[in-house]
Amino acid sequence: MALQLRRKIDQYLEKWKNNPDRLPLIVKGARQIGKTFSIENFAKSYKSFVEINFITSPEYKTIFEHGFSAVDVVKQISMINPKFEFIENDTLIFFDELQACPNCATSLKFFALDKKYDVICSGSLMGLNYQEIDSVSVGYKIDYEMYSLDFEEFLWAKGYSGTQIGDLFENMKLLQPFTATAMDVMMQNFKDYILVGGMPQVVKMFVGQNNFSGILDAQRALLRAYAEDITKYAVGLDKAKVRNVYENIPAFLAKENKKFQISKIAHGARNREYVGVVDWLNDAGIVNICYCLDLPEMPFKGNYNPQNYKLYFRDTGLLIASLDDEAQADLRANKNFNTYKGAVYENIVADMLVKSGYPLYYYKNAKGTLEMDFFVRDADSVVPVEVKASDNSTPSLNTLINSDKYPDIKYGIKLCHKNIGFNGKFYTFPYFTAFLLKKYMIWRIEGKALTLC
C-alpha cells in the first residue's frame, strides 16, 4: 500500500468545512507540493465531488461565458459533463490550475452568496496573477498558502506521533536537555530532512525505501521542471534573467556574506534590468527572500532595505540537488557539506521559519563587524536568531544583547548542534527544534515562560 502523507492542510480543511460561514477557499503554493492530492483526499468527506482541471480539460474555460452566477456556472458544467452531480450542501466543487482560467475567480463572489456548494480553487503560484484574482474576489474568498512538507510533517511521514513531537516542545519549555538517544535520533532525522527536503514525491520515495537511492535524480527532475516552468510562466519578464537569478542562488549562498548581488550574476548586469525578477521567484514559491534590516529594532516592516537581501531555496532538498557533481560526491560519500555548510544550515532554518509563518530579516552593520542571521519577536522585544554551522563563539549575538544601542533586544536564540541550554543571555536549541520556535514564542507571549533570571 502506497504511503499516504499526513499534511497540516488536512486539519485546516476540516475546520474550514465545519465553519457555517465558510467562503470559497483558494489554496496557493508552488508546483508539486501536494495541493491537488490533499484536496482530492479531503473531497472523500462529501457525497459529491466535482473536479475541473483547466489545463487537462480546457473546454471548461467556457463555463463562465454566459455569466458568473452559481446557477449559470453549474448549468454550464452540467452541459459539458451531465454525469456530475450537484447535491446542495454536500458537494465540493474543485477548480484546479486556476492560473489557466483567471475568469474563474470572478465567480467566487457568487458562489459565496449562493452558499449551496463548497468551492476550493488551487493553482500554481508560478502562473497565478494573484493580484488580479484578489481584486475581483476580495471579501468573498479566503486563502491558504501551502508549502512542501515541513519538518514536523516529515516526522509524521517517518511514523512519529503528535505525542512524541509534543515531548520535544515540553523539553524546550522546561529548558530540559534531550536525552542522548533523543538528541542523536532527532539530529539524524534532521540531516535526512536536509538531504531529502519536503517535496512529497521525494519524501514518499525516501520513506518507502529507507535509503537515498534515486533521490538525487528525482530532485534534479524537479529542478528541471521548475526551470521549464520559468520559461513558460514568467510573462512580462526576461525569462533568461529569471533563470539566471534562479540558477545563481547556490553560488551566492556559498559566499561568506551570502548577500545576493545582481551586479555579479552577469557582466554588466544592473538592478534596474532585473526589476520584478526576484519578486516573481518569491511569488512563484521558489525562493525565500531575507531582507536586511536598517536597524535591529521594531517594527520590521518599513525598517529594511529592499535592495539588500539574501535568497534561499524554499526547499532545502532542492538546494542540495542544485550543487555540482563534486559537492554531491563529497556529500554522499563523506557527509561533508564543505563550503556550503553554512549555506545549508541557514537555508534549512530560513525554510523552517517561513513554514512557521515568519517573514525573514537579517542584519549587518555598515562596517561589517556585526551580523545576525534572522530575527523573530515576542510581545515587546526583538529576538535575534543565530544559526551556527560549527561550535564557534557568538560575538554578534552577545553584542546585540549586551549593548545599550539595541534596547529592543533583551535576549537571543542560538541554533546549533548542541543540546538545550540557557546562559542568562541566550537560549541554545538544537537545529531540529526550529520548527517549534513560533510555538515557543507564542508560549512566552502568553506569560508562561520561565523567568530570565
Side-chain angles (χ1 to χ4, degrees):
M1 182 177 177
L3 173 68
Q4 183 166 318
L5 299 175
R6 176 185 171 194
R7 305 299 304 273
K8 291 184 175 178
I9 192 176
D10 300 340
Q11 185 177 13
Y12 179 87
L13 291 172
E14 288 296 331
K15 288 182 178 178
W16 173 76
K17 184 180 180 181
N18 292 330
N19 180 0
D21 299 318
R22 60 189 173 278
L23 295 171
L25 172 66
I26 296 181
V27 178
K28 304 182 292 180
R31 280 196 160 315
Q32 303 187 61
I33 57 168
K35 299 185 300 295
T36 298
F37 180 86
S38 293
I39 295 166
E40 289 175 340
N41 188 54
F42 167 67
K44 295 173 184 176
S45 64
Y46 288 82
K47 286 184 179 179
S48 181
F49 178 43
V50 176
E51 181 174 12
I52 293 171
N53 185 307
F54 290 116
I55 289 182
T56 59
S57 301
E59 64 271 21
Y60 284 99
K61 293 180 184 180
T62 64
I63 62 177
F64 307 105
E65 291 180 355
H66 299 280
F68 292 98
S69 74
V71 172
D72 288 335
V73 173
V74 166
K75 184 183 295 183
Q76 295 304 312
I77 293 173
S78 298
M79 288 290 291
I80 296 173
N81 187 348
K83 293 182 180 180
F84 278 139
E85 283 190 276
F86 291 89
I87 303 170
E88 291 187 9
N89 303 314
D90 211 349
T91 296
L92 175 63
I93 303 174
F94 175 31
F95 295 116
D96 201 3
E97 302 292 2
L98 180 63
Q99 74 278 0
C101 186
N103 277 339
C104 179
T106 305
S107 72
L108 298 185
K109 172 181 177 179
F110 301 97
F111 276 105
L113 295 172
D114 184 70
K115 294 185 180 295
K116 291 186 178 72
Y117 311 105
D118 289 349
V119 176
I120 297 180
C121 300
S122 180
S124 165
L125 287 173
M126 228 173 229
L128 194 59
N129 184 349
Y130 196 71
Q131 287 72 27
E132 176 185 338
I133 286 172
D134 196 47
S135 67
V136 299
S137 56
V138 64
Y140 295 98
K141 51 85 183 170
I142 53 177
D143 305 312
Y144 182 93
E145 185 161 357
M146 191 175 175
Y147 303 96
S148 63
L149 278 78
D150 66 18
F151 186 53
E152 185 171 15
E153 291 171 317
F154 181 77
L155 291 177
W156 289 344
K158 294 196 73 175
Y160 289 90
S161 68
T163 299
Q164 290 171 307
I165 295 171
D167 288 342
L168 303 180
F169 184 59
E170 288 301 313
N171 282 75
M172 294 177 69
K173 287 165 57 177
L174 299 172
L175 291 181
Q176 178 178 319
F178 297 110
T179 65
T181 298
M183 186 74 179
D184 289 346
V185 169
M186 281 300 145
M187 276 304 302
Q188 186 56 57
N189 283 324
F190 179 71
K191 289 177 180 177
D192 287 346
Y193 181 62
I194 289 176
L195 295 174
V196 174
M199 301 302 281
Q201 168 192 344
V202 182
V203 173
K204 283 185 177 182
M205 182 185 300
F206 173 72
V207 174
Q209 63 193 24
N210 198 29
N211 61 55
F212 294 96
S213 176
I215 295 297
L216 180 59
D217 289 340
Q219 290 170 324
R220 286 184 166 173
L222 287 168
L223 284 172
R224 289 192 296 271
Y226 272 36
E228 290 168 4
D229 281 345
I230 287 172
T231 302
K232 185 188 300 182
Y233 289 117
V235 179
L237 296 170
D238 185 324
K239 295 171 183 179
K241 288 184 170 66
V242 179
R243 288 190 62 163
N244 199 17
V245 169
Y246 171 63
E247 291 168 356
N248 272 281
I249 294 172
F252 282 92
L253 287 178
K255 297 180 183 298
E256 186 175 351
N257 68 7
K258 301 178 180 61
K259 177 183 174 183
F260 198 93
Q261 295 173 280
I262 294 294
S263 60
K264 294 185 178 181
I265 66 173
H267 180 71
R270 298 290 183 268
N271 279 317
R272 64 177 179 271
E273 299 168 352
Y274 284 76
V275 171
V277 167
V278 172
D279 286 335
W280 186 89
L281 287 167
N282 179 59
D283 291 342
I286 298 175
V287 304
N288 289 319
I289 307 175
C290 184
Y291 290 106
C292 186
L293 293 171
D294 294 325
L295 289 170
E297 61 185 29
M298 297 184 287
F300 293 154
K301 288 185 178 180
N303 177 32
Y304 68 88
N305 183 349
Q307 301 299 320
N308 192 352
Y309 53 84
K310 300 177 184 179
L311 292 183
Y312 298 104
F313 273 85
R314 197 165 285 194
D315 187 275
T316 302
L318 298 185
L319 167 63
I320 295 295
S322 72
L323 304 183
D324 56 43
D325 289 339
E326 291 74 21
Q328 289 290 342
D330 193 21
L331 175 62
R332 307 289 165 177
N334 306 310
K335 307 298 181 186
N336 181 24
F337 291 115
N338 207 346
T339 58
Y340 288 97
K341 188 173 184 180
V344 167
Y345 284 109
E346 273 191 40
N347 200 105
I348 192 74
V349 171
D351 184 48
M352 293 168 91
L353 291 177
V354 168
K355 287 174 177 174
S356 298
Y358 280 118
L360 299 179
Y361 300 100
Y362 78 102
Y363 177 68
K364 187 172 185 177
N365 65 5
K367 296 180 180 179
T369 56
L370 181 64
E371 185 170 8
M372 186 49 51
D373 300 314
F374 304 107
F375 291 87
V376 296
R377 57 166 298 180
D378 63 16
D380 61 355
S381 61
V382 170
V383 183
V385 178
E386 186 163 33
V387 181
K388 300 297 290 185
S390 58
D391 191 24
N392 294 334
S393 60
T394 55
S396 290
L397 187 58
N398 283 310
T399 298
L400 287 171
I401 297 168
N402 295 332
S403 176
D404 293 336
K405 295 180 181 179
Y406 313 107
D408 286 349
I409 298 175
K410 300 177 176 62
Y411 66 95
I413 293 172
K414 176 182 174 182
L415 296 173
C416 56
H417 192 176
K418 294 183 72 174
N419 216 322
I420 292 175
F422 179 62
N423 64 3
K425 296 180 181 179
F426 58 81
Y427 295 88
T428 299
F429 294 123
Y431 303 115
F432 61 80
T433 62
F435 78 101
L436 292 167
L437 275 188
K438 181 135 193 183
K439 185 176 180 180
Y440 183 75
M441 300 309 295
I442 291 172
W443 175 75
R444 288 185 57 87
I445 290 171
E446 290 175 349
K448 296 177 182 177
L450 301 172
T451 58
L452 291 176
C453 58

